[in-house]
């Protein structure tokens, strides 16, 4: 039986997969959802090691690995080290929004974003440590280093920018454009990397579990051939009713 390990976002729990996992199981996949290590002692090497431990603990053999947000980044790191993996999926996992930027002064935009992050984490040693770990990771380089099929799914319906202070919102939008550009360039030169968009907010596996399951199953059943820069039609509330609060 084909298998898939499911990872949540940072500070979230494995139960976040409660809507998508049954859809994957109904299609014949064995699903195992696990939590991530604590953010206070976060390291990328430790997080990747925890994936291997979970696979061994649950008696899995070469499962696909899918993660949301921080879990998606961990999954992408797994893809750079495990050519035997049939598929890795990153659902809207990004590092700090401190560049690249498009359409603005990059120096000023980076200063704005770093000042905002410092303000938000002031006095919180756990988050300060975590932000530093995020800073140390070049996610585009991780994508380019993929050694197994890697699907990166981005949300295009987030309203995060509207909730930020005006100057931060401008810098953040410039980051979204700049990172999208770099991501498409990486996909154009990385045969194992595929891209897709969903018109949801950040929690796409809760907002559109059927679409998420369809993407995962479609890539698993396609013989792992990349479908680069795939664009999906909008999902609707009628097609995918809003889940109960987590």
């Amino acid at each position: 039986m084909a298998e898939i390990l499911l990872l949540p976002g940072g500070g979230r729990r494995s139960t976040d997969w409660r809507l998508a996992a049954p859809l994957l199981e109904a299609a014949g996949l064995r699903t195992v959802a696990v939590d991530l290590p604590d953010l206070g002692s976060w390291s990328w090497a430790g997080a990747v090691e925890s994936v291997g431990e979970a696979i061994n603990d649950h008696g899995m053999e070469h499962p696909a690995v899918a993660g949301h947000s921080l879990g998606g980044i961990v999954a992408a790191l797994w893809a750079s080290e495990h050519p035997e993996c049939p598929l890795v999926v990153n659902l809207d996992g990004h590092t700090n929004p401190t560049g690249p930027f498009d359409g603005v002064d990059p120096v000023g935009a980076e200063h704005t974003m770093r000042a905002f992050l410092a303000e938000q984490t002031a006095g919180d040693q756990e988050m300060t440590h975590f932000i530093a770990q995020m800073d140390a990771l070049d996610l585009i380089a991780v994508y380019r280093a993929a050694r197994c099929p890697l699907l990166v799914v981005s949300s295009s319906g987030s309203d995060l920018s509207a909730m930020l202070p005006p100057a931060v919102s401008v810098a953040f939008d410039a980051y979204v454009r700049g990172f999208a550009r770099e991501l498409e360039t990486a996909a154009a030169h990385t045969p194992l990397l595929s891209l897709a968009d969903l018109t949801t907010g950040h929690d796409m596996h809760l907002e559109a579990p059927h679409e998420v399951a369809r993407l995962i199953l479609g890539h698993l059943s396609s013989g792992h051939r990349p479908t680069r820069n795939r664009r999906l039609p909008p999902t609707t509330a009628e097609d995918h009713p809003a889940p109960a609060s987590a």
Side-chain angles (χ1 to χ4, degrees), residues 117-242:
L117 289 173
E119 177 184 344
Q120 296 301 304
T121 59
D124 188 333
Q125 292 186 344
E126 177 178 292
M127 287 307 299
T128 299
H129 166 78
F130 178 66
I131 291 294
Q133 293 295 306
M134 294 285 274
D135 261 344
L137 186 69
D138 184 341
L139 189 54
I140 293 295
V142 171
Y143 291 155
R144 288 181 178 272
R147 300 179 65 199
C148 70
L150 169 62
L151 172 64
V152 175
V153 188
S154 301
S155 66
S156 57
S158 173
D159 60 354
L160 175 60
S161 179
M163 297 183 286
L164 298 172
V168 178
S169 177
V170 170
F172 182 78
D173 287 344
Y175 159 76
V176 170
R177 294 191 300 269
F179 191 85
R181 168 179 50 79
E182 292 294 325
L183 182 56
E184 294 206 6
T185 299
H189 295 89
T190 309
L192 288 170
L193 175 60
S194 301
L195 308 180
D197 289 341
L198 285 179
T199 54
T200 67
H202 182 54
D203 292 339
M204 54 179 63
H205 56 333
L206 291 170
E207 297 177 43
H210 290 81
E211 288 294 333
V212 167
R214 182 174 70 84
L215 275 172
I216 292 172
L217 294 168
H219 279 71
L220 275 174
S221 65
S222 68
H224 322 313
R225 293 185 301 274
T227 53
R228 204 175 297 131
N229 299 323
R230 181 180 183 184
R231 304 296 177 187
L232 296 175
T235 56
T236 67
E238 182 178 350
D239 291 335
H240 309 296

